[in-house]
Amino acid sequence: MNKINFPQTFPTIHTERLILKQATIEDAEDMHIYLSNETVCRYMGIDAHETIEDTKGEIKWYDNIFKEQTGIRWGISLKDNPAIIGSCGFLNLEKQHLRTEIGYELHHDHWRKGIMSEAIAAVLRYGFQEMNLNRIEALIDPQNIISVKLLEQFNFAPEGLLREYEYGKGKFNDVLMYGLLNKDND
């Protein structure tokens, strides 16, 4: 029988340039820099964080989804600098169906440097190889063309438009559903 292998302790992942690690309250100031930026949050369906307490709440949510085994969200830092510059990970884990949703964001100073591609590759590898996932989904704002292109680099397939699927920023929003199956993962 197939089952999810959810980690008992929070895993740290090392890539060529990055360390993906557990975010803590001590990281709130670094994370607040990008989570308070409207440009970063534009397609996330959330308002930019106004206070450091908003960002601490985000970190607490990361902790809760890990404790509840419904997701895992890694803070992204460069190997030569421990400051967290973004996050990437899984949410809405459905153990019975061996599927989850991927989400991510990155400080705008680090866009277009291949950092998120490197982080996503590591997270996908962990999800399929270590957690035994069969399917990873992504829900993308239709206007977020950069994110669509990023996912397509990893063979995520477009599966349709979900009309008014999410409520955020005071309105219902359409999202594009993308999916990647373990058997389609390179």
Side-chain angles (χ1 to χ4, degrees):
M1 181 174 147
N2 290 328
K3 69 177 220 168
I4 294 287
N5 297 322
F6 198 88
Q8 298 305 304
T9 58
F10 198 98
T12 299
I13 302 172
H14 297 266
T15 69
E16 183 180 336
R17 297 180 293 164
L18 308 174
I19 299 174
L20 306 182
K21 59 188 180 181
Q22 186 170 23
T24 67
I25 293 297
E26 288 76 34
D27 298 308
E29 287 186 28
D30 293 330
M31 294 173 66
H32 187 70
I33 293 169
Y34 63 85
L35 288 171
S36 63
N37 185 305
E38 184 57 41
T39 303
V40 172
C41 296
R42 172 178 35 195
Y43 299 121
M44 292 172 59
I46 63 168
D47 292 320
H49 290 189
E50 293 183 16
T51 68
I52 196 77
E53 292 308 313
D54 294 338
T55 305
K56 288 179 180 178
E58 182 85 1
I59 294 167
K60 288 175 186 168
W61 176 69
Y62 296 174
D63 288 342
N64 285 340
I65 64 171
F66 183 75
K67 287 176 187 164
E68 295 167 0
Q69 296 189 358
T70 60
I72 182 169
R73 190 79 168 214
W74 287 270
I76 302 168
S77 66
L78 300 171
K79 280 192 172 175
D80 61 0
N81 184 342
I84 291 185
I85 58 171
S87 79
C88 183
F90 303 130
L91 61 150
N92 299 325
L93 177 66
E94 291 287 343
K95 289 183 179 182
Q96 176 184 353
H97 304 292
L98 282 76
R99 77 169 179 250
T100 194
E101 181 183 331
I102 192 169
Y104 46 85
E105 79 281 326
L106 186 65
H107 189 300
H108 62 83
D109 287 351
H110 299 281
W111 289 0
R112 301 194 185 273
K113 297 179 181 178
I115 290 171
M116 192 51 73
S117 292
E118 191 171 326
I120 288 174
V123 167
L124 292 175
R125 188 168 37 257
Y126 188 89
F128 287 128
Q129 293 177 6
E130 302 299 324
M131 293 178 66
N132 194 38
L133 292 167
N134 179 61
R135 176 183 168 83
I136 299 174
E137 302 171 341
L139 300 174
I140 305 295
D141 183 310
Q143 296 176 22
N144 192 349
I145 303 303
I146 302 242
S147 193
V148 167
K149 289 180 180 178
L150 177 63
L151 292 175
E152 288 176 347
Q153 290 175 10
F154 291 99
N155 297 323
F156 275 82
E159 297 178 336
L161 177 70
L162 303 176
R163 299 179 315 134
E164 296 187 2
Y165 187 76
E166 294 182 331
Y167 187 84
K169 297 188 176 186
K171 63 183 179 66
F172 288 99
N173 300 291
D174 297 344
V175 296
L176 294 171
M177 170 67 83
Y178 276 75
L180 179 65
L181 302 179
N182 191 0
K183 66 182 179 183
D184 298 333
N185 186 37
D186 290 331

